[in-house]
Amino acid sequence: MIRRILENSEYRRVLDNIVSLTGIQMVQYLLPLVTFPYLTRILGPEKFGKVAFAVAFITYFQLLTDYGFNLSATREISINREDPRKVSCIYSSVMVTKTILMCITFVLMVTVVLSFGRFRSDLLLYLFTYGLVLGNLLFPVWFFQGVERMRYISILRIVSSLIYTALIFIIVRSPADYLYVPLITSAGYIAVGIYSQRIVKREFEVEFRLPGINDIMGQLREGWHLFISTLAISLYTTSNRFILGLLTGPAVVGYYAVAEDITRALQGLVSPVSQAIYPYFAKVHSEDRERARGELKKMLLVMGALTFIVSLVIALLAPLIVGILAGPRYADSVHLLQILVFIIFAVGVNNILGIQGLVSFGYKEKFTWIVLLAGVLHLGLLVGLVFLMGSAGAAIAVVLTEIVIGVIEYIILRRMGIL
């Protein structure tokens, strides 16, 4: 089996991308766990929760700026990567479109913050955190995924994260220093983004071409369904901290954020598999639909088994993990982690069913409607369960929503004869 993979050039490239993406994800999610125990103890639940709430708030504007290009542009680049002129056109039009969207979202963010007293008092916190949007714009993950060359960025991410880690230990010394956390994080993202632009131009010889209105509108149309679905997905991911913060307080958000951050770190070890598979699977589907069906079934079985085992083991070890990473002040995070960790299983399976299945086989509209329905369902569950059960209700709501999504996607794929 291993020999067959190594002898197949396509499989080797996918394996190389999985390794590279895993390296990036380990740095992005696991290296911050070095600073995580330090920040939870230094900042305390209240300030830690404040920073977590700001990130959740700014994530909405990041989603608006991304506009689903992480999937639609990745697919375009993957299909046309042998045509340098076409790649340059796609790259230029996506970057310009994202820049326009970022300017709009910045104005929108400042307007919202200045309009409400609760937000206005933390204006600097939100401005510093907004740097994540600029950094995300400059770092074209979608391009590197499309050309299936993530190795360059792995080293850059590691260096950036090491600098971030050092600065956190040097600068953040008390709860009063909480503003430095988003400032340092944003600076790291922006630095990585600027250097990645140099790599795109130098290593891939991409030339910037000022796009016309038709090019920009074309990108907006191409990414529309994926944008709506991504926005809907945020209703049952990012919204948990945001709604919890509005209905409770910073300390409760802090307990929830600890459990969710640990879950995301662990999920980050699994998601590179799906990310690396997507451009490969898109190419396979464009060449041989029947072969793609067989590959989809294999991926579903492997991903399902892998993520379920990971979720179960982490649930059993939750008291130990929280105690080591966050400290005794976060005992309320243990039961939240034991619930949230099963998102790893649900999201792993849902990615195969939704992105590799429905989207790759041309059912983007069905995928969009599923996540829209799930988003609306989740908001109702979230608000109701938070009132009844507090932060535990938020954790239960997001797991239930992911399960519902998976069941619907599976039923549709079966009826379409794909599974």
Side-chain angles (χ1 to χ4, degrees):
M1 177 70 175
I2 295 175
R3 185 179 177 182
R4 193 179 69 178
I5 290 173
L6 294 176
E7 289 176 350
N8 186 300
S9 61
E10 287 187 334
Y11 284 170
R12 274 204 315 273
R13 187 169 60 248
V14 172
L15 184 61
D16 180 67
N17 288 324
I18 288 174
V19 172
S20 298
L21 280 165
T22 300
I24 293 171
Q25 294 291 68
M26 285 181 72
V27 170
Q28 188 174 345
Y29 289 102
L30 292 184
L31 193 55
L33 288 182
V34 175
T35 58
F36 185 79
Y38 179 76
L39 288 175
T40 54
R41 289 166 172 82
I42 292 295
L43 298 183
E46 184 176 350
K47 295 299 185 185
F48 188 80
K50 225 172 198 189
V51 172
F53 180 80
V55 172
F57 176 58
I58 295 303
T59 298
Y60 286 114
F61 303 104
Q62 184 171 310
L63 289 168
L64 290 171
T65 302
D66 281 345
Y67 194 80
F69 293 134
N70 285 342
L71 292 174
S72 64
T74 295
R75 181 178 174 83
E76 279 193 77
I77 293 290
S78 177
I79 293 172
N80 297 283
R81 60 187 173 207
E82 304 301 330
D83 184 347
R85 185 176 178 281
K86 183 66 174 177
V87 167
S88 293
C89 289
I90 295 169
Y91 185 82
S92 302
S93 60
V94 171
M95 289 300 294
V96 169
T97 306
K98 290 186 72 169
T99 301
I100 294 171
L101 291 172
M102 187 191 70
C103 293
I104 294 171
T105 59
F106 181 75
V107 173
L108 182 60
M109 184 274 291
V110 172
T111 302
V112 171
V113 170
L114 294 179
S115 299
F116 299 93
R118 176 175 179 174
F119 289 94
R120 196 183 308 123
S121 60
D122 288 313
L123 176 61
L124 273 180
L125 174 63
Y126 298 119
L127 287 175
F128 290 162
T129 308
Y130 194 85
L132 296 173
V133 180
L134 175 58
N136 193 61
L137 165 68
L138 292 171
F139 180 50
V141 174
W142 50 270
F143 174 82
F144 292 105
Q145 282 184 248
V147 295
E148 298 189 65
R149 300 285 292 277
M150 295 297 290
R151 189 180 298 172
Y152 296 99
I153 308 304
S154 297
I155 297 173
L156 198 56
R157 281 288 201 199
I158 291 171
V159 172
S160 171
S161 295
L162 286 172
I163 294 172
Y164 159 83
T165 301
L167 289 176
I168 287 293
F169 283 116
I170 293 170
I171 297 174
V172 181
R173 310 304 294 267
S174 73
D177 296 329
Y178 74 100
L179 283 175
Y180 291 121
V181 177
L183 182 60
I184 293 170
T185 308
S186 294
Y189 269 75
I190 292 169
V192 167
I194 291 172
Y195 196 79
S196 70
Q197 291 293 320
R198 289 186 60 190
I199 293 175
V200 170
K201 184 176 181 180
R202 185 183 65 220
E203 301 294 334
F204 298 95
E205 300 179 350
V206 172
E207 297 179 4
F208 181 79
R209 305 167 185 268
L210 189 64
I213 295 297
N214 289 336
D215 295 319
I216 293 173
M217 294 305 296
Q219 289 297 338
L220 291 173
R221 282 193 299 270
E222 183 65 26
W224 172 249
H225 289 292
L226 292 169
F227 164 62
I228 294 299
S229 61
T230 304
L231 198 60
I233 288 171
S234 75
L235 294 178
Y236 51 89
T237 53
T238 306
S239 292
N240 298 311
R241 294 187 189 191
F242 186 68
I243 298 296
L244 198 59
L246 292 178
L247 297 179
T248 57
V252 176
V253 176
Y255 296 130
Y256 183 87
V258 163
E260 191 172 69
D261 283 347
I262 294 172
T263 301
R264 285 179 178 176
L266 296 164
Q267 189 178 333
L269 296 177
V270 178
S271 60
V273 179
S274 301
Q275 286 180 291
I277 285 172
Y278 180 71
Y280 159 76
F281 191 77
K283 195 168 187 297
V284 170
H285 178 266
S286 66
E287 295 171 352
D288 189 341
R289 183 182 174 94
E290 195 59 34
R291 180 189 166 197
R293 287 179 59 217
E295 295 284 334
L296 184 67
K297 292 175 183 178
K298 292 178 189 175
M299 289 190 292
L300 183 60
L301 287 173
V302 173
M303 185 64 77
L306 173 67
T307 53
F308 182 76
I309 291 170
V310 170
S311 298
L312 190 59
V313 171
I314 300 305
L316 295 173
L317 297 176
L320 179 64
I321 293 171
V322 172
I324 292 173
L325 294 179
R329 294 168 69 185
Y330 293 84
D332 287 351
S333 300
V334 173
H335 70 284
L336 297 175
L337 178 59
Q338 289 173 326
I339 298 168
L340 284 171
V341 76
F342 284 95
I343 293 175
I344 297 174
F345 167 66
V347 170
V349 171
N350 287 355
N351 180 276
I352 300 298
L353 294 171
I355 302 301
Q356 320 296 345
L358 291 176
V359 174
S360 292
F361 277 85
Y363 300 109
K364 285 191 292 186
E365 291 187 16
K366 290 184 184 297
F367 179 70
T368 301
W369 280 110
I370 290 170
V371 292
L372 274 174
L373 176 65
V376 174
L377 170 67
H378 180 69
L379 277 183
L381 281 173
L382 179 62
V383 174
L385 290 176
V386 167
F387 273 120
L388 291 173
M389 306 170 66
S391 55
I396 292 170
V398 70
V399 174
L400 283 176
T401 302
E402 290 288 358
I403 291 172
V404 169
I405 291 172
V407 170
I408 296 174
E409 288 174 340
Y410 181 80
I411 290 172
I412 290 176
L413 287 170
R414 288 283 292 179
R415 289 182 175 177
M416 296 293 177
I418 297 171
L419 284 178

